[in-house]
């Protein structure tokens, strides 16, 4: 039996819908002096850091912050991990929709924050947490049909921010990750932390890229999901850049989209040496996906299938968030294990 793949189709539709939104940009108001870092309990009243007020234009929604938000709900896992990596646990009053296991170094802090829902919480559930800021990872975080539009939150006096991957810019790169971190650092008055985090992630990527610098590119097919056809990462996806940085080449880099369907005949024709399996809840387990690929007679002569060369990536590692830098190293080790012995 093939795994269930409905969530992937939904996510692809959400990406397509998000393309109609305005491009994101960041507009900082004038301010001088170094930015301080507020801390303490989320309910505490802290001194306003230098540099405020600050205005951010996110996906066409312009918001002016007189001070950093202090009660935050994150919807989807990658915004939560980004917040925690910036040391903002004390500002967080709720999370929702975990996609995969949390990074080990963030697990303790993540588990200390109330989980509002296994998927996107209702508008009323979010309101019950009394946030002043809601940070969404996918476009579905602010689904108008579900009553969670950004306008609805604004009318309730709650500011919102949507991950820039869903702001309509088609091609997604590592620069988007770094820009996202710096923007959130600005909103919360911790730009120094954001700069340090970006530097650390850039160093992680640089070390992995250097390790495989002398290797020939490995051809990679991304298997997100699908049975009658394959749902895969296209040339405009962050996954394609991650593969390139890790010393590989996405065999469907010519697919002019972030994600799309390809035929299994095309997969056979392109003879990938490695298959990168995206792992996330609701789309079949990794073992189910491997079993499906290995059981198809038409794929038997594909080098990656014949040699059982699979690399597993959590979906959260392929999104605009801190995981993408980790994914480059994981991919590099999977594509060129000999470079890490």
């Amino acid at each position: 039996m093939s795994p269930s793949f409905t969530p992937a189709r939904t996510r692809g539709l959400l990406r397509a819908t998000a393309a109609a939104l305005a491009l994101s940009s960041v507009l900082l108001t004038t301010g001088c002096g170094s930015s301080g870092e507020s801390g303490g309990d989320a309910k505490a009243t802290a001194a306003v850091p230098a540099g405020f007020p600050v205005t951010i234009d996110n996906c066409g929604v312009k918001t002016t912050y007189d001070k950093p938000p202090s009660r935050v709900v994150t919807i989807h896992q990658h915004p939560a991990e980004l917040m925690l990596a910036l040391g903002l646990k004390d500002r967080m009053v709720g999370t929702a929709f975990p996609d995969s296991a949390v990074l080990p170094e963030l697990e303790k802090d993540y588990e200390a924050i109330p989980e509002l829902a296994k998927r996107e919480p209702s508008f009323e559930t979010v309101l019950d947490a009394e946030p002043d800021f809601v940070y969404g990872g996918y476009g579905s975080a602010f689904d108008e049909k579900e009553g969670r539009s950004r306008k609805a939150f604004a009318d309730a006096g709650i500011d919102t921010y949507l991950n820039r991957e869903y702001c309509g810019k088609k091609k997604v790169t590592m620069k988007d990750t770094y820009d996202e971190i710096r923007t959130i650092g600005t909103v919360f008055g911790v730009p120094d932390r954001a700069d340090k985090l970006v530097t650390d992630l850039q160093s992680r990527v640089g070390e992995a890229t250097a390790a495989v610098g002398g290797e020939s590119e490995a051809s990679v097919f991304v298997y997100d999901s699908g049975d009658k056809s394959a749902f895969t990462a296209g040339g405009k996806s962050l996954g394609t850049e991650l593969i390139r940085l890790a010393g590989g080449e996405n065999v469907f880099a010519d697919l002019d989209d972030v994600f799309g369907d390809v035929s299994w005949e095309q997969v056979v024709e392109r003879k990938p040496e490695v298959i990168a399996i995206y792992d996330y809840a609701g789309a079949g387990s990794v073992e189910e996906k491997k079993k499906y690929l290995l059981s198809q007679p038409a794929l038997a002569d594909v080098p990656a299938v014949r040699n059982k060369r699979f690399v597993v990536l959590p979906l959260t590692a392929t999104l605009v968030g801190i995981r993408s830098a980790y994914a480059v190293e994981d991919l590099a080790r999977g594509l060129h294990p000999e470079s890490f012995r």
Side-chain angles (χ1 to χ4, degrees), residues 76-328:
H76 304 115
Q77 186 174 330
H78 47 304
E81 290 189 332
L82 196 159
M83 291 278 295
L84 292 175
L86 287 173
L88 297 170
K89 180 187 74 170
D90 289 344
R91 316 279 185 93
M92 300 173 68
V93 297
T95 66
F97 208 149
D99 272 323
S100 55
V102 178
L103 281 172
E105 59 265 38
L106 301 178
E107 186 175 3
K108 183 177 179 181
D109 286 345
Y110 187 89
E111 290 179 350
I113 302 164
E115 183 179 284
L116 306 184
K118 292 296 183 184
R119 298 184 68 83
E120 290 92 349
S122 69
F123 182 70
E124 291 74 17
T125 297
V126 176
L127 291 188
D128 286 344
E130 300 181 354
D132 58 4
F133 184 89
V134 178
Y135 183 6
Y138 301 133
S140 58
F142 303 117
D143 189 338
E144 184 174 356
K145 293 180 180 178
E146 296 294 328
R148 291 190 307 270
S149 69
R150 297 185 73 175
K151 183 180 184 303
F153 281 113
D155 290 344
I158 301 169
D159 294 325
T160 57
Y161 185 94
L162 177 61
N163 185 292
R164 68 186 55 233
E165 186 167 355
Y166 289 85
C167 286
K169 181 182 178 182
K170 290 291 285 181
K171 187 174 178 61
V172 188
T173 69
M174 283 299 294
K175 182 178 184 300
D176 291 301
T177 287
Y178 304 140
D179 287 348
E180 180 85 353
I181 293 169
R182 288 192 170 107
T183 301
I184 295 300
T186 296
V187 170
F188 286 89
V190 292
D192 292 344
R193 295 186 201 176
D195 287 341
K196 182 180 184 302
L197 179 57
V198 168
T199 298
D200 290 347
L201 295 179
Q202 288 175 326
S203 177
R204 180 182 289 271
V205 171
E207 289 176 6
T209 300
V212 298
E215 301 290 345
S216 299
E217 289 184 340
S219 58
V220 182
F221 161 56
V222 173
Y223 181 48
D224 180 297
S225 55
D227 44 17
K228 293 181 174 59
S229 61
F231 193 56
T232 191
K236 293 184 176 179
S237 70
L238 181 57
T240 291
E241 180 166 359
L242 301 181
I243 291 168
R244 179 184 63 79
L245 290 169
E249 180 184 13
N250 181 0
V251 295
F252 288 105
D254 59 342
L255 180 62
D256 190 30
D257 208 337
V258 177
F259 275 87
D261 288 296
V262 297
S263 69
W264 290 112
E265 288 77 13
Q266 288 175 293
V267 175
V268 172
E269 289 171 1
R270 301 194 182 196
K271 302 177 180 178
E273 299 168 286
V274 182
I275 295 176
I277 296 176
Y278 283 3
D279 180 25
Y280 57 101
S285 70
V286 170
E287 289 309 311
E288 285 178 308
K289 290 180 180 182
K290 286 182 180 179
K291 183 177 179 181
Y292 178 75
L293 293 168
L294 292 169
S295 69
Q296 302 306 302
L299 301 178
D301 290 330
V302 171
V305 174
R306 184 174 64 244
N307 298 318
K308 298 181 180 180
R309 288 197 64 190
F310 301 107
V311 179
V312 178
L313 289 179
L315 178 64
T316 47
T318 70
L319 305 171
V320 171
I322 63 167
R323 287 282 190 105
S324 51
Y326 290 72
V328 175

